[in-house]
Amino acid sequence: MAGAELEPVIGLEIHVQLRTATKMFCGCALGFGEPPNTRTCPVCLGLPGALPVANAEAIHYGLMIGMALESELAPISTFHRKNYFYPDLPKGYQISQFDLPLCSGGKLGEVNIHRVHIEEDAAKLNHAGASGRIEGADSSIVDFNRGGTPLAEIVTEPELGSAEQAGEWLRLLRTTLRTLGVSDVNMEEGSLRCDANISLRPVGTDQLGTKTELKNMNSFRFIERGIRAEVDRQRAIIEAGETVTQETLHFDPKSESITSLRSKEEAHDYRYFPEPDLPPVMITGEMLARASAALPELPAARELRYIEALSLSPESARLFAWRAELADYFDAVCAADKSLDRQLAANWVTELQGRLGEEEAEDSKVTAAALAQLAAMVASSQINQGGAKQVLDQLVAAGGDPAAIVADQGLEAVGGADELAPIVAAALEANPELTERLRGGDMKPIGVIIGEVMKQTRGRADGKEVTALVREQLGLS
Amino acid sequence: MIDRDELLHVARLARLALHEDELETTAAELSSILGHVAAIDQLDLDGVEPTAHIGDVSDSLRADQPRPSLAREVALAPAPAVRDDGFLVPSPQGE
Amino acid sequence: MASDIGALSAAAAAAAIADGGLARDELFEHYRARAAADQLNAFTWVAEAEPGAVDGPLGGVPLAVKDLFCTEGIPSQAGSKILAGYCPPYTATAVANLEAAGAPLLGKTNQDEFAMGSSNENSAYGPVLNPWDHGRVPGGSSGGSAAAVAGGLAPWALGTDTGGSIRQPAALCGIVGLKPTYGAVSRYGMIAFASSLDSAGPLTRDVTDAALCYRHLVGRDSADATSVAFPEPIEIPSSERLDGVKLAVPTALVEGEGIEPGVRASFEAALETARGLGATIISCEIPSAPYALSAYYVIAPAEASSNLSRFDGVRYGLRVEQAHLDEMYTETRHDGFGAEVKRRILIGTYALSSGYYDAYYGRAQRVRTVVAQDLASIFEQADMIVTPTSPTVAFGLGERTADPLSMYLSDLFTIPMSLAGTPAISIPSGLSEGLPVGLQICGPAFSENRILSAAHALEQAIGFDGSVTWGSD
Ligand SMILES: [Mg+2]
Ligand SMILES: [Zn+2]
């Protein structure tokens, strides 16, 4: 294999906490940040004799996700028990789905979906240090507040070709889920969690190499960096003529290092069997109609609308549609000034996002109204590109009103024959040699003249206007 | 029918300690039961669907309405070990 | 009146209270005192005073409840050391329903650990003795409930039946036990053995008491997704005839090996009685019956292995302290569970494990389908199926403990109905060698009214006298 060029094959497994009022199988209210063990009941504590009853709203959300991902929806969906012991799993099994998931197949963007199923979340295990009960024993504390939160597990086909593509697609998925309103999709709070299956194969083949599983990455940045690090690690192993071992890995974003999650790889045998406490769920026409009626405009439709109705460039349309927050911000900018050219508004939103990095535009100091005002000032030539960028820098840093910043700092465009003609004339006069060359038709020195004018106007002149004035004053056509 | 290694594997999955002096008799008992249970092999089950749930329940879902949770003291009362308002356990190994 | 209190059936006691002839607290105290002086080891907990009974149609007649029903603030140990002293924060729906109907909790009854057993010798709290002969077992797993009723320590009791655990001890103790249609009684708060088979039902002195209790047990419970509404009210039976009723006898099954001659004789006498009441007796076959036992001993342990995983020493119950998590789990479960429970956990884990699932669990579930079909086709030709409840009368303490398989055979006649989820009742059909013999009557799903009616007619005609045991202990 050594020598052949290798390409990554990446599949994603995403756990999404659903934003229902109550847990998956009991009536405990969902919460985030409540004092430990204050959101529990016999069911989610796994007390003897307690029984699960499935939350209709979680099934409804699952159907909405399936519809958004163009999945095939099961007419009958069953729950299974996935048996294993862990302190965060109160019953000794997780109620999940196995052979009849709610949604099978589907597609989002260019990536095929394998399946979507519904299950319950585990509780939270916090490390506590020495137990104090037995010498040398290390201990943990379990908080069952999160235990039993409804999850949708979305599994893609292994089709993603790079860390960047995985990150970009995950943003689209997040936007889709956010738009559906089925989840908070907050990676920091753990309502969206992502595992990646990664393997390498020689370019152009369809054989699959040994895959590793990178667990629980909790930000877009870490996902991309983690996948990149794991791809590099596997590439180094293969190029050294060794073989990759199948294992579960953890990426530490601080040290950029990858470690094996289980010291001794235990053979997993989950002993799945149909959950006898839960009858099969019949998906009725009524349930489907309700889910379908609840579907909002999804990213693909939004992208198309931006191109067709707003005449945005395909690049801007996709950028916004795949990042709902940005699209919402763009919509707000357009709403603030209905006469604004949409593409111009789009360009300034893009310009702003470029300065923000991971931060969302709506969370920045730049209000949609301020950005609309800035774009309008550019459109009416009250300010030129360079000046506008200076204003934007200041808005990002400290917020404020663009008109006031312009007035304060004298950033108005210097334009019109009255104001600019004498400055151009002076610049020509100060450079007789270059003026002669220009008069002779050699336009190369025009940059120097423009530079001189910009210097005099502190960047507030428009380059095109200066060029036109030079031609006019020198009698060039 | 079930040998020592298989027995230990199953006991490991079930998180049941089997002490050395229990292995032999346990293996013998399980083998005898499994031998009896193997009688089901004689029944022709071609084309027979499995029954996981008996009886028909159509409307088994629950409305998404919160109910009161247990007070924390009540939840923690039966726990063998408690610290910082949670259930104290030995840490899982390898993490 | 006080000296006659113990002679009253639950229904008669309720009536006596209603017409003012008997004081409710007098009734409670009569049974409380007897239960507290328990010589049968039938109780694991007895109330200290009447818990302030609710007015209701059950008239304040106290109720004994199998230990595996959760009762708020009261020990609910399921016969297991792993739950020693455990007091749940909630009450099982079945118990709450009977309490709300006016049956105050008298005490919790001993049982085979997690309902696994047919002799009540698998209890961490010691074996229960049969009131007919203290050297014999009461049957199981609801042996404490059966012995308490038969011994006159409780007017009636709640039990559970997974493969015969109400019917078989009822038969061995000479009382009435009803295993309902699966789903008719809520399982919420019943500590699970095998979820797809478990049913809660009454153990009573007579069929009328069974109907009265059952009337308040049934109903859809939103906390149990597998529970269903009973399609009609439960009637108090009054029939004394069986005219037009067709009873089917699975000939090969009841003529097979292992059935005691005295049991067979009592069964045949009961069939004669039925004929005399106008019933037609036909012969039928349950071809899958021999396989039903095997399927049961795969399905029940498989579900149990998963249901008992929650006993891990983390949130409640016994913990054997260890420095490492896995040792804490394995030693806690080693010490907390008894031998039979561990055996079934291992069998069940094996049957579900990778490579064996299809051969064991998958096949057993298919057998289940065939058993249900076999019974359904009999019910196309007959109203009910009748068999002896148990192939033997009560056997001696310790007689079968060494051989788990011989113990499993106790459930030969009761298991097909458990797999099919159909209701069945056991009533006393007479004595063999001075010990009670049970008759099982089984019908299709939700046929409880018809079963109770037929059982009532037979009970009247048979005239079995159980007072020899409930008069004393
Ligand atoms: Mg999952
Ligand atoms: Zn809960």
Side-chain angles (χ1 to χ4, degrees):
Chain A
M1 204 184 262
E5 184 145 3
L6 298 168
E7 64 178 5
V9 182
I10 302 160
L12 299 179
E13 236 178 77
I14 300 102
H15 285 91
V16 186
Q17 285 185 346
L18 300 178
R19 200 166 61 180
T20 48
T22 64
K23 292 186 178 182
M24 185 63 222
F25 297 113
C26 67
C28 287
L30 293 191
F32 184 80
E34 271 74 24
N37 292 303
T38 53
R39 292 281 171 94
T40 72
C41 72
V43 178
C44 60
L45 278 178
L47 296 192
L51 296 172
V53 184
N55 185 339
E57 199 66 0
I59 304 291
H60 171 65
Y61 284 172
L63 293 173
M64 285 175 67
I65 294 172
M67 286 175 175
L69 302 185
E70 298 167 34
S71 300
E72 196 179 309
L73 305 174
I76 297 174
S77 190
T78 60
F79 288 102
H80 270 62
R81 289 188 185 176
K82 179 181 183 179
N83 293 282
Y84 65 97
F85 284 83
Y86 212 71
D88 63 10
L89 194 68
K91 301 184 293 297
Y93 53 85
Q94 180 196 32
I95 305 177
S96 183
Q97 297 197 285
F98 187 57
D99 55 5
L100 294 172
L102 196 59
C103 321
S104 304
K107 191 168 185 146
L108 180 69
E110 281 82 50
V111 177
N112 285 300
I113 305 292
H114 177 59
R115 61 185 270 160
V116 181
H117 72 248
I118 302 296
E119 60 186 28
E120 56 178 339
D121 207 348
K124 217 165 165 194
L125 197 60
N126 299 303
H127 191 247
S131 82
R133 293 170 69 88
I134 289 188
E135 210 183 326
D138 192 33
S139 63
S140 299
I141 293 169
V142 204
D143 170 11
F144 286 94
N145 283 356
R146 192 186 75 180
T149 298
L151 294 178
E153 180 177 326
I154 300 166
V155 184
T156 74
E157 295 294 350
E159 294 181 343
L160 292 146
S162 70
E164 295 68 30
Q165 201 198 342
E168 194 194 5
W169 184 83
L170 202 58
R171 280 204 169 81
L172 170 62
L173 177 69
R174 181 169 175 273
T175 282
T176 305
L177 297 168
R178 209 191 85 123
T179 310
L180 289 171
V182 298
S183 172
D184 291 332
V185 290
N186 185 325
M187 294 195 84
E188 282 69 42
E189 291 181 357
S191 55
L192 181 76
R193 306 196 292 268
C194 181
D195 304 340
N197 292 304
I198 301 162
S199 64
L200 294 184
R201 70 176 169 207
V203 171
T205 65
D206 56 5
Q207 76 191 67
L208 285 178
T210 305
K211 65 177 182 190
T212 57
E213 194 182 9
L214 207 51
K215 275 277 183 204
N216 259 329
M217 293 168 288
N218 61 2
S219 87
F220 287 101
R221 235 164 351 121
F222 295 166
I223 285 164
E224 292 185 30
R225 278 162 56 191
I227 293 175
R228 222 173 284 135
E230 173 56 10
V231 166
D232 291 347
R233 191 188 70 90
Q234 289 192 17
R235 181 169 281 133
I237 291 172
I238 294 167
E239 284 173 357
E242 287 160 29
T243 50
V244 173
T245 40
Q246 185 166 348
E247 58 188 334
T248 304
L249 304 169
H250 173 73
F251 172 68
D252 178 7
K254 272 190 215 120
S255 61
E256 298 266 331
S257 65
I258 283 177
T259 46
S260 188
L261 211 54
R262 291 192 180 85
S263 47
K264 52 176 184 222
E265 187 59 24
E266 185 189 319
H268 281 296
D269 186 345
Y270 292 124
R271 289 157 285 137
Y272 279 101
F273 74 102
E275 165 57 289
D277 290 330
L278 293 169
V281 180
M282 309 291 167
I283 307 301
T284 62
E286 208 176 312
M287 289 161 82
L288 293 173
R290 187 179 158 231
S292 145
L295 288 184
E297 182 190 46
L298 292 167
R302 197 172 202 177
E303 184 178 341
L304 206 62
R305 177 168 62 82
Y306 279 171
I307 294 171
E308 290 180 350
L310 302 187
S311 308
L312 288 197
S313 71
E315 295 72 31
S316 298
R318 164 165 281 208
L319 176 70
F320 293 169
W322 283 33
R323 289 184 68 166
E325 292 92 341
L326 204 55
D328 290 347
Y329 186 82
F330 165 72
D331 288 349
V333 171
C334 294
D337 182 349
K338 299 212 169 56
S339 61
L340 207 55
D341 177 78
R342 299 291 168 46
Q343 186 61 51
L344 181 71
N347 293 346
W348 282 100
V349 171
T350 310
E351 190 72 36
L352 169 64
Q353 190 60 55
R355 283 163 165 74
L356 295 176
E358 289 286 300
E359 194 190 351
E360 294 299 342
E362 62 184 3
D363 302 331
S364 76
K365 296 193 172 107
V366 190
T367 64
L371 197 72
Q373 200 186 355
L374 184 64
M377 289 166 78
V378 174
S380 62
S381 300
Q382 282 173 268
I383 183 169
N384 68 10
Q385 290 280 335
K389 286 180 184 174
Q390 286 181 49
V391 175
L392 186 58
D393 287 338
Q394 296 182 41
L395 288 174
V396 168
D401 173 36
I405 295 173
V406 168
D408 250 27
Q409 305 182 16
L411 292 168
E412 300 93 345
V414 177
D418 290 359
E419 220 178 330
L420 206 52
I423 302 171
V424 171
L428 290 171
E429 220 165 285
N431 294 283
E433 211 174 302
L434 299 180
T435 305
E436 272 320 298
R437 279 171 64 190
L438 287 165
R439 215 189 290 275
D442 175 10
M443 292 307 284
K444 271 183 205 141
I446 188 86
V448 181
I449 302 299
I450 293 173
E452 185 68 24
V453 173
M454 286 297 183
K455 203 163 138 196
Q456 294 302 316
T457 61
R458 284 180 298 120
R460 294 173 299 148
D462 180 67
K464 278 190 209 124
E465 202 179 350
V466 173
T467 307
L469 281 167
V470 167
R471 286 179 173 277
E472 191 190 306
Q473 291 183 11
L474 298 181
L476 299 166
S477 59
Chain B
M1 192 160 184
I2 184 163
D3 64 26
R4 186 191 158 94
D5 285 349
E6 252 179 328
L7 178 59
L8 287 171
H9 172 66
V10 171
R12 162 87 193 137
L13 286 177
R15 294 299 186 278
L16 261 184
L18 275 180
H19 297 165
E20 194 58 40
D21 58 338
E22 298 165 316
L23 285 173
E24 205 176 309
T25 44
T26 308
E29 281 165 356
L30 296 196
S31 295
S32 133
I33 295 165
L34 288 170
H36 180 81
V37 154
I40 51 177
D41 285 350
Q42 293 154 29
L43 194 61
D44 178 15
L45 295 168
D46 275 359
V48 177
E49 287 296 313
T51 296
H53 302 87
I54 209 92
D56 270 334
V57 180
S58 48
D59 183 24
S60 67
L61 299 177
R62 174 178 65 80
D64 187 25
Q65 263 141 26
R67 306 176 101 249
S69 293
L70 293 173
R72 180 166 55 210
E73 314 79 76
V74 174
L76 293 175
V82 167
R83 188 196 288 172
D84 294 343
D85 301 327
F87 299 85
L88 188 70
V89 290
S91 290
Q93 280 115 68
E95 293 198 15
Chain C
M1 180 104 214
S3 61
D4 301 320
I5 290 178
L8 298 172
S9 72
I17 288 170
D19 70 20
L22 177 61
R24 201 155 67 182
D25 53 357
E26 201 184 347
L27 176 68
F28 193 91
E29 182 49 32
H30 168 84
Y31 282 107
R32 200 207 61 75
R34 285 182 64 87
D38 175 15
Q39 307 269 299
L40 303 172
N41 197 28
F43 282 88
T44 50
W45 178 87
V46 178
E48 273 169 21
E50 193 191 9
V54 178
D55 275 326
L58 298 183
V61 179
L63 177 76
V65 171
K66 189 176 183 177
D67 198 23
L68 58 64
F69 287 93
C70 286
T71 43
E72 187 177 343
I74 288 166
S76 307
Q77 310 166 119
S80 184
K81 179 181 168 190
I82 211 160
L83 279 177
Y86 172 68
C87 295
Y90 76 110
T91 296
T93 304
V95 178
N97 284 349
L98 294 180
E99 278 178 339
L105 180 63
L106 169 67
K108 300 295 287 289
T109 57
N110 203 345
Q111 59 166 96
D112 282 305
E113 184 178 7
F114 290 112
M116 297 178 188
S118 305
S119 70
N120 224 304
E121 291 162 297
N122 301 332
S123 168
Y125 305 94
V128 178
L129 313 183
N130 190 314
W132 291 80
D133 176 348
H134 289 195
R136 290 175 189 266
V137 304
S141 65
S142 309
S145 285
V149 174
L153 312 181
W156 50 12
L158 198 51
T160 64
D161 190 312
T162 303
S165 282
I166 288 175
R167 292 162 285 167
Q168 186 256 13
L172 269 48
C173 289
I175 59 168
V176 172
L178 174 66
K179 173 215 128 40
T181 302
Y182 180 80
V185 178
S186 169
R187 291 184 296 115
Y188 188 71
M190 256 172 71
I191 300 176
F193 165 16
S195 313
S196 76
L197 299 159
D198 291 344
S199 329
L203 291 110
T204 55
R205 283 188 194 174
D206 62 30
V207 175
T208 302
D209 282 0
L212 180 62
C213 184
Y214 190 55
R215 173 185 270 189
H216 299 284
L217 268 176
V218 295
R220 158 93 181 137
D221 178 10
S222 60
D224 175 1
T226 62
S227 80
V228 283
F230 206 86
E232 59 190 15
I234 301 300
E235 313 280 352
I236 303 301
S238 57
S239 170
E240 307 208 331
R241 296 285 304 168
L242 292 173
D243 298 307
V245 174
K246 215 186 245 186
L247 301 176
V249 177
T251 316
L253 191 61
V254 304
E255 286 175 359
E257 272 175 71
I259 181 166
E260 287 176 353
V263 169
R264 183 171 298 152
S266 177
F267 178 65
E268 273 156 13
L271 293 181
E272 249 343 282
T273 307
R275 267 192 209 98
L277 296 174
T280 315
I281 312 287
I282 65 165
S283 173
C284 70
E285 295 307 334
I286 309 175
S288 57
Y291 308 101
L293 194 69
S294 297
Y296 175 84
Y297 277 98
V298 172
I299 292 170
E303 292 183 8
S305 73
S306 175
N307 283 332
L308 299 190
S309 292
R310 67 186 60 196
F311 301 100
D312 60 3
V314 175
R315 285 144 293 121
Y316 42 77
L318 180 80
R319 173 190 291 191
V320 176
E321 286 294 352
Q322 296 282 330
H324 297 298
L325 178 69
D326 272 337
E327 282 74 53
M328 188 279 277
Y329 281 155
T330 58
E331 294 301 331
T332 294
R333 291 162 63 79
H334 176 274
D335 286 12
F337 291 138
E340 180 63 19
V341 170
K342 284 191 267 199
R343 224 166 2 241
R344 296 204 199 183
I345 289 175
L346 291 169
I347 289 281
T349 304
Y350 179 84
L352 288 174
S353 68
S354 151
Y356 296 104
Y357 181 93
D358 290 334
Y360 288 97
Y361 196 69
R363 281 191 76 82
Q365 285 193 319
R366 291 185 162 80
V367 173
R368 191 167 185 182
T369 307
V370 176
V371 172
Q373 286 166 351
D374 282 355
L375 295 192
S377 68
I378 295 170
F379 292 132
E380 282 169 14
Q381 298 150 39
D383 298 298
M384 290 161 225
I385 298 170
V386 288
T387 72
T389 306
S390 163
T392 69
V393 293
F395 43 90
L397 285 161
E399 211 173 273
R400 296 192 186 176
T401 41
D403 180 6
L405 265 179
S406 74
M407 192 77 90
Y408 294 176
L409 290 169
S410 303
D411 300 327
L412 187 64
F413 298 134
T414 50
I415 277 174
M417 298 76 194
S418 296
L419 290 176
T422 52
I425 196 169
S426 178
I427 62 167
S429 62
L431 295 174
S432 162
E433 297 166 38
L435 293 166
V437 175
L439 171 72
Q440 177 178 237
I441 309 170
C442 159
F446 303 107
S447 66
E448 276 87 330
N449 276 328
R450 279 176 282 151
I451 292 174
L452 285 161
S453 175
H456 182 264
L458 276 163
E459 175 184 60
Q460 298 304 305
I462 290 169
F464 180 82
D465 182 10
S467 66
V468 282
T469 55
W470 61 66
S472 68
D473 51 21

